[in-house]
Amino acid sequence: MTTFKFFHPTEVRYGDLDPQGHVNNANHLTYFEQARIAYMIELELFTKNQSFMEIGVILADVHVAYLAPIYFGERIKVGVHVLKLGNKSMTWAQNIVDAKTGKELAKGEVIMVTYDYKEEKTINIPHEWREKIKVFEGL
């Protein structure tokens, strides 16, 4: 099982629900994204003032396992853990847990590629990013 050192609290909004009364499956990806951005800000890989065009990452692949429904008003937090650093890509584990009980409600794996949006091409993971992630994650 993956050990998460970083969690981002996330509000379940009424608009996140589907007609069945639980969080629509597509919103899990939004929760994952919000937590990844918070993780990157926390590790100072970029700042809140930067343009999204300067973040330098692009989603390449994602897999989600839906383990239990999430309901409006439920207190949740989203875990982020970098599993692997390649040359140009990073494999991230993510999960959504009940903030009170710790019960895992969803889990996933995401591959992010470092990307130069101006040149429209992949780039190597910046050395500074690699070092900060390795120190934080203990890689």
Side-chain angles (χ1 to χ4, degrees), residues 36-88:
R36 284 194 310 273
I37 297 299
Y39 176 97
M40 293 177 76
I41 291 169
E42 180 72 22
L43 268 61
E44 298 180 344
L45 305 182
F46 75 96
T47 68
K48 292 179 183 181
N49 299 328
Q50 282 180 284
S51 163
F52 281 116
M53 296 302 287
E54 295 178 31
I55 292 174
V57 292
I58 193 166
L59 181 69
D61 191 40
V62 63
H63 298 271
V64 181
Y66 304 95
L67 306 174
I70 302 170
Y71 297 100
F72 177 66
E74 190 167 357
R75 298 179 61 82
I76 61 170
K77 58 185 182 176
V78 183
V80 180
H81 174 67
V82 176
L83 294 169
K84 178 183 170 191
L85 293 169
N87 292 324
K88 297 180 177 187

